[in-house]
Amino acid sequence: MDLSIIGSGYVGLVTGACFADVGHNVICIDNDSRKVESLQAGKVPIYEPGLEEIIHRNVSAHRLRFTGSIKEGVDNSQIVFIAVPTSQHSDGSVDLSFIERVAREIAGVLTSYRVIVDKSTVPVKTGEKVAESIKRYNRHGAQFDVVSNPEFLREGCAVGDLMHPDRIVIGAQSDHGVDLMKKVYEPFMAPILVTDVNSAELFKHAANSFLALKISYINAVSAICEASGADIEKVADGIGMDRRIGRDFLNAGVGYGGSCFPKDIAAFITISEQLGVPFHLLKEVQRINGTQKDRFLKAVRDALWVLRDKQIAVWGLTFKPDTDDIRSSVAIELVAEMLREGAHVAAYDPKGMERAREVKSIANTRFADSALEAVEGAEALVIATEWTEFANVDLAVVKEKMTTPIIFDGRNLFDPETMRKLGFYYTSIGRPSVKPT
C-alpha cells in the first residue's frame, strides 16, 4: 500500500521503516529540513537497535523516502499517519497544537478520499477535533475517515514491538476505514481489536498508566522489604508467578522515566479531572515514583555522610538501556542533585553521552569514555541504568580502580551476597545492604 507518515521522530521513523520493510511504499514527512536532509543522506538521528539497517535496506529498495512536503505525502498515499510530538503543558495537559496544525495542512491539500490516522498519543476525543478541523478547512470538500491507531513501542525494543505486536488497535467509525487499516497490518499476523475512536484513544493512556502503577506498586513494596529485611527480588518473583499478575514491570528501581510514562500519567490525570472523574490512584503512582528517587539519594547520603567534594561515578544516563533517550531520565536527575550538593561526578553511558552533554543541569559532569574510566579514583559508584555492559563488567577491576568500594545499585544488577564476598559495601533497592566479609 502507499502510506505517508507525518512526523519523523521516534514513533514516525520506526513505524515508517517497519511498514516499508514488510512491503509498503512509505513517505516519511518532517518539517525539520535538516532532519530530512540527514535521513536522505542515510544518517539516523536516534539510536534504536536494528533501525538503521532497516532504513538503509528500504531506502535502497525505493520503498522508503523522506520529504518536507505534506502535500507530496497526501497526494501519493492512501493512508496518512499523524505521528507528531504531543508535549506536555505545565498543568499536565497535552499540547495538541502540532496535531491541529497538521490537520489544517492536510485539509488544505486534500482533494480525494484518504484515511487520516492518529498515531500520536492523544487525549480521548482528539479524533473528533481532527475531523472537525479537516472538514472546516478542506476547500475541496473531499471525503475522509479519521482513525485512531495507538502505538505501543518500547524504546530499546521498538522494532521488535512493531514487527511482532501483542495486538493492533484500530478505532474507526466506518467499515471502509477499518478494511484499509487491516490491509496495512495484514503482514504482521497479530490480533486486531476494532473499536470506536474514543475507546482506542483512551486505550493507550489506560495501558501505560496501568504499567506505571505496577512499577510504583513494586517500588512501594521495596520500601517495606528494606524496613523488614526481606528481598524484593524474591517477593516480585513470587508475585509474578501468579498468572493473573505476571512478572513484567515488577522490577524495583529508582523509578520510571522517559518520554511516555511521566507524560501519559500526567495527561490521564488531567483528562479524568476534565471529565469530572478525578483519578486519585494515579496521583499516588506519581508520588511513589518521585519518592523512590528521594529514598535512593537518602541512602547515598546516609552512607557517605556528606556529598560535597566526594568523587562519585555514575553508570547510566539514559532513562532505560538500549536507547539514547535521556528525556525525563531519573539518572540525569540523580546526577543533577549530587552536583547541586557539591559532589564531583564522572558519568558514562554507552549511547546517551552526546545528548547528556547538552543538559545544562549536569554541565559540570566529567563524561568518561568507559565504565572503568568513570570509576577511576571514585569513592562511590551509582548504577542508574541497567545496561548489559554494566552487568558484565569485571567487578574485581572495578574494586581495584575505586578509592573506596562502595556501590549504590539503583537497578538491582548484582547479587548482594556476591558483592559482599567480593569486598564491596553494596546497597540496592528493596534488599538488605551488605558489607565486606
Side-chain angles (χ1 to χ4, degrees):
M1 298 187 72
D2 296 323
L3 314 174
S4 63
I5 300 179
I6 302 175
S8 295
Y10 188 87
V11 172
L13 197 55
V14 172
T15 302
C18 291
F19 279 172
D21 210 42
V22 298
H24 298 308
N25 300 308
V26 180
I27 303 173
C28 284
I29 305 157
D30 203 277
N31 63 358
D32 184 339
S33 58
R34 287 181 297 179
K35 181 187 288 187
V36 171
E37 290 172 7
S38 178
L39 287 165
Q40 288 172 335
K43 298 177 182 177
V44 181
I46 59 173
Y47 173 74
E48 179 65 34
L51 179 61
E52 187 170 352
E53 295 86 346
I54 293 175
I55 289 176
H56 290 167
R57 178 166 63 245
N58 287 281
V59 168
S60 297
H62 305 292
R63 288 191 298 266
L64 178 64
R65 58 191 174 97
F66 304 94
T67 181
S69 170
I70 286 181
K71 185 178 189 306
E72 180 182 348
V74 173
D75 285 348
N76 292 280
S77 303
Q78 299 161 277
I79 301 178
V80 181
F81 289 82
I82 301 175
V84 297
T86 51
S87 57
Q88 186 178 349
H89 291 301
S90 58
D91 64 353
S93 62
V94 179
D95 182 356
L96 296 174
S97 58
F98 289 137
I99 299 279
E100 193 271 346
R101 187 184 309 165
V102 165
R104 290 184 62 169
E105 291 189 50
I106 291 172
V109 298
L110 192 64
T111 57
S112 57
Y113 177 82
R114 295 290 186 274
V115 175
I116 313 299
V117 183
D118 264 339
K119 197 70 176 170
S120 304
T121 301
V122 295
V124 63
K125 293 186 175 293
T126 299
E128 296 176 4
K129 296 295 185 183
V130 168
E132 288 175 11
S133 292
I134 295 175
K135 186 174 182 180
R136 181 177 299 142
Y137 295 104
N138 179 218
R139 302 187 305 271
H140 304 284
Q143 296 297 306
F144 64 92
D145 280 311
V146 172
V147 170
S148 175
N149 176 221
E151 53 84 15
F152 303 99
L153 306 183
R154 298 168 296 166
E155 294 189 40
C157 46
V159 171
D161 286 345
L162 204 148
M163 299 298 278
H164 307 285
D166 293 330
R167 74 297 200 197
I168 294 158
V169 178
I170 299 171
Q173 301 302 113
S174 78
D175 292 338
H176 186 52
V178 170
D179 290 342
L180 287 175
M181 290 297 293
K182 284 183 175 179
K183 288 182 181 179
V184 172
Y185 284 106
E186 188 175 333
F188 295 91
M189 303 296 292
I192 294 178
L193 172 64
V194 177
T195 184
D196 60 278
V197 175
N198 288 349
S199 295
E201 289 174 333
L202 199 61
F203 194 94
K204 176 66 182 292
H205 279 123
N208 274 1
S209 295
F210 186 78
L211 295 176
L213 185 150
K214 286 187 74 173
I215 295 171
S216 285
Y217 175 81
I218 204 65
N219 279 336
V221 174
S222 76
I224 299 172
C225 287
E226 290 172 16
S228 64
D231 186 330
I232 190 61
E233 296 297 320
K234 293 181 174 61
V235 172
D237 285 343
I239 295 171
M241 291 175 72
D242 188 323
R243 286 176 296 177
R244 298 168 301 174
I245 299 172
R247 186 62 173 81
D248 289 347
F249 289 85
L250 287 180
N251 296 311
V254 288
Y256 60 76
S259 62
C260 289
F261 278 9
K263 177 170 68 73
D264 288 354
I265 278 65
F268 205 17
I269 290 171
T270 302
I271 290 166
S272 68
E273 289 174 345
Q274 290 172 344
L275 293 172
V277 191
F279 209 150
H280 299 298
L281 178 60
L282 283 189
K283 290 184 178 181
E284 185 64 10
V285 168
Q286 278 185 324
R287 188 197 67 79
I288 292 171
N289 194 60
T291 58
Q292 195 70 3
K293 178 193 67 179
D294 297 335
R295 287 181 56 246
F296 184 73
L297 278 169
K298 183 179 183 301
V300 175
R301 294 188 193 99
D302 288 347
L304 299 182
W305 194 8
V306 292
L307 299 189
R308 181 169 296 281
D309 294 329
K310 291 290 194 308
Q311 303 289 333
I312 299 177
V314 175
W315 284 355
L317 294 167
T318 54
F319 84 95
K320 63 178 290 188
D322 296 320
T323 180
D324 60 352
D325 196 345
I326 60 170
R327 289 175 291 180
S328 297
S329 169
V330 178
I332 295 289
E333 294 174 10
L334 289 170
V335 172
E337 182 59 33
M338 289 187 290
L339 288 171
R340 278 194 292 270
E341 296 187 29
H344 303 292
V345 177
Y348 170 73
D349 188 281
K351 293 294 179 180
M353 304 279 275
E354 185 177 347
R355 295 183 187 275
R357 284 188 173 96
E358 299 173 359
V359 180
K360 292 181 180 178
S361 64
I362 63 168
N364 292 330
T365 303
R366 178 173 69 82
F367 294 99
D369 292 329
S370 68
L372 291 179
E373 182 187 318
V375 299
E376 188 79 50
E379 296 168 78
L381 165 63
V382 169
I383 301 174
T385 312
E386 62 272 34
W387 286 91
T388 302
E389 176 182 332
F390 303 154
N392 294 333
V393 75
D394 188 331
L395 290 168
V397 176
V398 171
K399 183 184 176 186
E400 182 181 324
K401 287 181 174 293
M402 295 181 70
T403 300
T404 51
I406 303 173
I407 294 181
F408 303 97
D409 187 351
R411 298 299 179 184
N412 289 1
L413 275 188
F414 302 116
D415 173 63
E417 183 60 21
T418 300
M419 300 302 283
R420 182 183 65 79
K421 291 178 180 178
L422 287 170
F424 285 96
Y425 292 84
Y426 180 74
T427 298
S428 54
I429 304 291
R431 302 183 294 182
S433 296
V434 298
K435 296 181 180 180
T437 53

